[in-house]
């Protein structure tokens, strides 16, 4: 995913953590008030911390976003590096062909066989309001030793950074 330098420097760490994670789990609320999550390919984090996705105009998530004051949550996980990010924000649908051209990539053709001119193709723009991240500061082996030590001593392990960032 493309990540641009952030105007809000507090979001730099968030952009760095999610930059190598291609898939986010996007959570919305359905008509029965259930939380519903689905994998989405993140395309870009722009300089304002906005995260861009392609979607189908008639996708149920579009109605769910509209019916829930546009509120969504995005979850990113890199289990190998023990990095996790949760982003709360608002989403909006856009039919912006110039932005579609900018973000188009060959993998998108699997979901949009008619290409970037597919009339079903629109953008989801997720504006970050708050992000929380957990990031391990050491290797897997060190983390395992810390966990084992914690199990023996009864003291919680110090596993890395955890911070909430507001945009």
């Amino acid at each position: 995913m493309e990540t641009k330098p952030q105007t809000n420097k507090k979001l730099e760490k968030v952009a760095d953590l999610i930059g190598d994670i291609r898939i986010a789990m996007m959570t919305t609320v359905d008509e029965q008030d259930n939380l519903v999550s689905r994998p989405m390919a993140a395309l870009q984090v722009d300089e304002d911390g906005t995260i861009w996705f392609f979607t189908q105009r008639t996708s149920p998530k579009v109605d769910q976003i509209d019916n829930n004051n546009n509120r969504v949550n995005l979850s990113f996980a890199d289990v190998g590096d023990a990095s996790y990010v949760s982003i709360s924000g608002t989403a909006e649908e856009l039919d912006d062909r110039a932005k579609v051209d900018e973000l188009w990539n060959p993998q998108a053709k699997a979901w949009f066989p008619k290409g970037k001119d597919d009339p079903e193709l629109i953008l989801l723009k997720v504006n970050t309001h708050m992000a929380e991240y957990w990031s391990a500061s050491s290797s897997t082996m060190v983390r395992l030793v810390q966990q084992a030590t914690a199990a023996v001593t009864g003291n919680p392990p110090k596993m890395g950074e955890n911070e909430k960032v507001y945009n």
Side-chain angles (χ1 to χ4, degrees):
M1 163 177 36
E2 177 190 11
T3 58
K4 295 188 176 184
Q6 299 298 295
T7 54
N8 177 348
K9 293 304 174 192
K10 293 179 180 179
L11 286 177
E12 283 289 343
K13 177 74 174 189
V14 173
D16 288 344
L17 289 172
I18 67 175
D20 291 332
I21 305 171
R22 182 158 159 62
I23 302 298
M25 292 298 289
M26 178 182 287
T27 303
T28 57
V29 179
D30 73 8
E31 301 75 26
Q32 289 79 37
D33 216 27
N34 297 305
L35 295 172
V36 181
S37 299
R38 81 278 294 148
M40 298 282 294
L43 302 167
Q44 181 187 72
V45 180
D46 72 15
E47 53 279 332
D48 296 322
T50 300
I51 303 169
W52 293 87
F53 300 88
F54 288 143
T55 194
Q56 291 186 343
R57 185 181 307 276
T58 56
S59 170
K61 78 177 134 313
V62 172
D63 289 334
Q64 292 166 2
I65 289 167
D66 290 340
N67 293 335
N68 193 39
N69 298 320
N70 296 13
R71 295 176 54 219
V72 298
N73 180 270
L74 301 175
S75 301
F76 294 86
D78 184 338
V79 178
D81 283 344
S83 297
Y84 308 91
V85 179
S86 176
I87 295 175
S88 295
T90 53
E92 58 184 293
E93 309 93 48
L94 295 173
D95 194 352
D96 180 337
R97 292 295 129 186
K99 190 69 174 177
V100 168
D101 287 343
E102 175 189 340
L103 298 175
W104 183 258
N105 62 68
Q107 293 86 1
K109 193 152 175 93
W111 284 271
F112 301 97
K114 295 178 185 172
K116 61 185 175 183
D117 296 320
D118 188 329
E120 271 295 299
L121 172 61
I122 60 171
L123 295 159
L124 276 182
K125 172 184 177 181
V126 176
N127 301 298
T128 299
H129 294 206
M130 189 275 290
E132 185 170 12
Y133 66 83
W134 300 262
S135 178
S137 56
S138 49
S139 69
T140 302
M141 185 57 72
V142 171
R143 290 192 312 265
L144 289 172
V145 169
Q146 289 172 333
Q147 290 171 345
T149 301
V152 172
T153 65
N155 297 321
K158 304 243 185 292
M159 299 300 287
E161 299 176 77
N162 170 230
E163 186 177 350
K164 287 184 183 175
V165 178
Y166 295 89
N167 193 15

